[in-house]
Amino acid sequence: MEDKKLYTLLVYSENIAGILNQITAVFTRRQVNIESLNVSASSIPGLHKYTITAWSNESQIEKITRQIEKKIDVVKATYYTDDELYIRETGLYKLSTPMVMENPEISRTVRRNDAFMTEVNPTYVIAMKSGRTEEIMDLYYKLDEFGCILQYTRSGRIAVTRSATEEVTKLLEEREKGN
């Protein structure tokens, strides 16, 4: 059995109600848990981009990708490993203002980790960091040692390929030539 690793699927589809349910159902049927999911408009008018991460082995992720691509409203689905993508996430850390004021090392830790404070009020401070998952989690663990975290959340992954163009762009250009 192949070892599991984290894969990122980039899926492009028409903006049709219910397509997200169809895509996630493919993972459910194969009993693969989605680690993160981000959906947004893409750079191509009329198409949405789904960035989905899941732990799997390559043969299973290939099957999942092929099944997703068979959906009528899906234009293109491709899976990638982390080294093939430029990846970012955002972490939000809600910290206790009294604790931040009492211990200057907390705000130094935020700054040293290339995060910044986006809101400060008498009750809480919101710190925000963008970067790779490991960097965001590293800051979480450092702040957690101070016992100052009131809330924490991390966004889903956003990613672009490291190639000059995305495969969906090539596919759409070929379709355009055929018409």
Side-chain angles (χ1 to χ4, degrees), residues 8 10 36-40 49 51 53 85-90 130-131 155-160:
T8 301
L10 299 182
S36 74
L37 170 67
N38 182 24
V39 182
S40 64
K49 181 178 182 178
T51 306
T53 61
L85 298 169
Y86 180 82
I87 300 163
R88 287 295 175 263
E89 292 182 9
T90 300
S130 294
S155 71
R157 176 178 278 197
I158 58 172
V160 292

Side-chain angles (χ1 to χ4, degrees), residues 151-168:
Q151 291 180 39
Y152 163 76
T153 190
R154 195 174 82 227
S155 71
R157 176 178 278 197
I158 58 172
V160 292
T161 62
R162 292 197 179 270
S163 64
T165 60
E166 293 191 69
E167 288 188 35
V168 72

Side-chain angles (χ1 to χ4, degrees), residues 11 29 56-57 69 71 77 79-80 85 87 101 108 131 135-136 143 158 161-162 172 176-177:
V11 180
R29 280 193 299 276
S56 185
N57 57 51
E69 204 163 45
K71 303 293 176 194
Y79 69 92
Y80 299 92
L85 298 169
I87 300 163
M101 299 302 286
R108 279 190 213 109
E135 298 166 337
I136 291 166
L143 292 172
I158 58 172
T161 62
R162 292 197 179 270
L172 292 171
E176 197 65 32
K177 287 177 189 174

